[in-house]
């Protein structure tokens, strides 16, 4: 059921993307792009003349490079779950903090009804089993997300002072899905901000424009809001993920579950000097 899917969050170092939108934040399919980008003028005319598909190509290429680079990094991660009342105020909060190292995985189990969170470290064998059982999915990978949406260009803006392209995404009518989580993803609309400088995804804001039925009339998700932003400070591999916030409300015949999950990441670094063999 949707509650089971939404209340279980699997972190796997080998499958990290935007936590994504998440992960994450955010969101498109992969195209080949040369390693060296041509230079561009700062004028608005130059910006507006760049085709949307070209912006997406470069954003995806940059995101793929960053995702692969992150597999070699270690960093601090904090996961927080909040049980909310009907107005969205926290009733109970539980959080976990841990150091993520290359090749490691953690199984995080969240119970939105009680606001509790538990973590179990995964071995390489555990991770492989989770992958084989499709417990680790790439629903939020860029290459899988873009075909689900109608994409449009909304112009230029600045995000924390950084020049960026604003890209809008809207649900496509009658988009097929194979699971309840895919049905939810298909219904999201929002915007993303892509760096003009290096095409990193800087920010994503998404929401449900209307309720989504999960089991006929028995269960309905009437609220889903996603907020993602990268670090405003550019690092060696671009603007790395910094914050992901997911709030949802599931209503059913006997009550409702209203919860918020917040993921933050910081202190990215190489665990050993670049190029040194283990």
């Amino acid at each position: 059921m949707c509650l089971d899917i939404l209340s279980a969050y699997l972190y796997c170092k080998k499958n990290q993307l935007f936590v994504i939108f998440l992960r994450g934040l955010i969101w498109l399919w992969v195209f080949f792009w040369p390693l060296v980008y041509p230079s561009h003028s700062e004028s608005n005319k130059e910006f507006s003349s760049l085709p949307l598909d070209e912006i997406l190509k470069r954003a995806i290429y940059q995101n793929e490079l960053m995702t692969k680079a992150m597999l070699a990094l270690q960093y601090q991660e904090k996961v927080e779950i909040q049980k909310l009342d009907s107005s969205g105020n926290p009733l109970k909060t539980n959080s976990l903090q841990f150091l993520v190292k290359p090749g490691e995985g953690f199984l995080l189990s969240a119970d939105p009804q009680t606001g509790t969170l538990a973590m179990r470290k995964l071995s390489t064998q555990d991770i492989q089993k989770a992958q084989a059982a499709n417990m680790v999915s790439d629903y939020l990978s860029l290459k899988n997300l873009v075909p689900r949406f109608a994409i449009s260009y909304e112009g230029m803006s600045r995000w924390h002072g950084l020049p960026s392209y604003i890209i809008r995404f809207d649900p496509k009518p009658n988009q097929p899905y194979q699971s309840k989580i895919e049905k939810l993803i298909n219904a999201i609309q929002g915007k993303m901000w892509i760096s003009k400088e290096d095409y990193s995804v800087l920010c994503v804001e998404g929401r449900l424009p209307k309720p989504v039925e999960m089991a006929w009339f028995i269960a309905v998700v009437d609220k889903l809001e996603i907020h993602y932003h990268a670090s405003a400070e550019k690092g060696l591999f671009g603007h790395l993920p910094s914050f992901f916030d997911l709030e949802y409300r599931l209503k059913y015949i006997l009550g409702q579950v209203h919860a918020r999950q917040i993921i933050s990441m910081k202190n990215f670094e190489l665990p050993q000097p670049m190029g040194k063999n283990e």
Side-chain angles (χ1 to χ4, degrees):
M1 191 173 180
C2 176
L3 175 58
D4 298 324
I5 298 173
L6 289 173
S7 63
Y9 160 64
L10 177 64
Y11 175 85
C12 179
K13 181 64 179 175
K14 291 187 177 180
N15 286 268
Q16 173 149 11
L17 289 171
F18 254 8
V19 190
I20 333 98
F21 181 170
L22 121 133
R23 282 187 172 254
L25 292 184
I26 317 332
W27 292 53
L28 312 159
W29 72 97
V30 179
F31 287 87
F32 174 78
W33 184 248
L35 289 175
V36 180
Y37 296 141
S39 60
H40 295 282
S41 166
E42 293 287 338
S43 68
N44 287 331
K45 181 178 180 181
E46 185 79 20
F47 289 140
S48 62
S49 66
L50 193 63
L52 175 59
D53 61 348
E54 199 69 26
I55 297 172
L56 299 182
K57 281 190 199 179
R58 301 182 186 195
I60 293 315
Y61 185 76
Q62 167 62 20
N63 185 260
E64 291 293 302
L65 288 179
M66 182 191 70
T67 300
K68 292 176 181 178
M70 285 184 65
L71 298 179
L73 300 177
Q74 70 177 26
Y75 52 90
Q76 294 286 338
E77 181 164 340
K78 179 180 179 180
V79 181
E80 181 178 298
I81 182 169
Q82 297 177 352
K83 179 182 179 182
L84 308 177
D85 63 18
S86 58
S87 300
N89 300 312
L91 295 173
K92 183 175 182 180
T93 300
N94 188 222
S95 63
L96 288 171
Q97 299 186 59
F98 47 93
L99 177 67
V100 178
K101 296 182 179 180
E104 287 187 345
F106 297 91
L107 180 62
L108 302 178
S109 300
D111 186 345
Q113 291 184 314
T114 61
T116 58
L117 190 63
M119 180 182 73
R120 179 170 65 88
K121 188 173 181 178
L122 299 177
S123 66
T124 301
Q125 186 176 12
D126 290 332
I127 293 173
Q128 292 173 345
K129 289 180 179 179
Q131 292 172 326
N134 291 323
M135 292 176 64
V136 179
S137 66
D138 56 356
Y139 290 128
L140 300 183
S141 68
L142 305 184
K143 63 181 179 181
N144 287 339
L145 279 169
V146 164
R148 298 178 184 274
F149 299 101
I151 308 294
S152 58
Y153 174 70
E154 290 209 340
M156 289 292 300
S157 181
R158 286 185 177 271
W159 182 83
H160 288 268
L162 301 173
S164 55
Y165 301 100
I166 303 177
I167 307 298
R168 180 183 177 90
F169 54 94
D170 290 283
K172 286 183 179 179
N174 303 316
Q175 182 70 14
Y177 58 90
Q178 297 182 350
S179 66
K180 292 182 175 66
I181 190 66
E182 284 189 84
K183 184 178 182 180
L184 266 180
I185 292 171
N186 290 348
I188 297 172
Q189 71 174 191
K191 297 180 182 180
M192 72 177 80
W193 285 254
I194 296 175
S195 167
K196 167 261 170 186
E197 180 185 8
D198 70 351
Y199 301 93
S200 296
V201 177
L202 300 174
C203 179
V204 180
E205 302 286 342
R207 56 181 285 273
L208 283 182
K210 60 182 181 180
V212 177
E213 294 182 354
M214 304 308 295
W216 298 293
F217 61 89
I218 298 175
V220 175
V221 175
D222 71 339
K223 182 174 185 177
L224 177 63
E225 293 187 1
I226 298 171
H227 305 276
Y228 164 85
H229 65 73
S231 172
E233 182 178 351
K234 184 179 178 182
L236 181 62
F237 304 108
H239 296 273
L240 294 170
S242 175
F243 177 83
F244 182 77
D245 184 347
L246 169 69
E247 180 182 346
Y248 65 91
R249 183 169 57 210
L250 173 69
K251 291 185 175 181
Y252 48 94
I253 293 178
L254 300 179
Q256 69 173 24
V257 174
H258 193 181
R260 184 181 181 192
Q261 295 184 23
I262 303 171
I263 301 170
S264 58
M265 293 171 285
K266 63 180 182 179
N267 299 334
F268 289 90
E269 61 182 8
L270 289 168
Q272 61 181 17
M274 183 79 76
K276 181 178 178 180
N277 295 325
E278 294 184 359

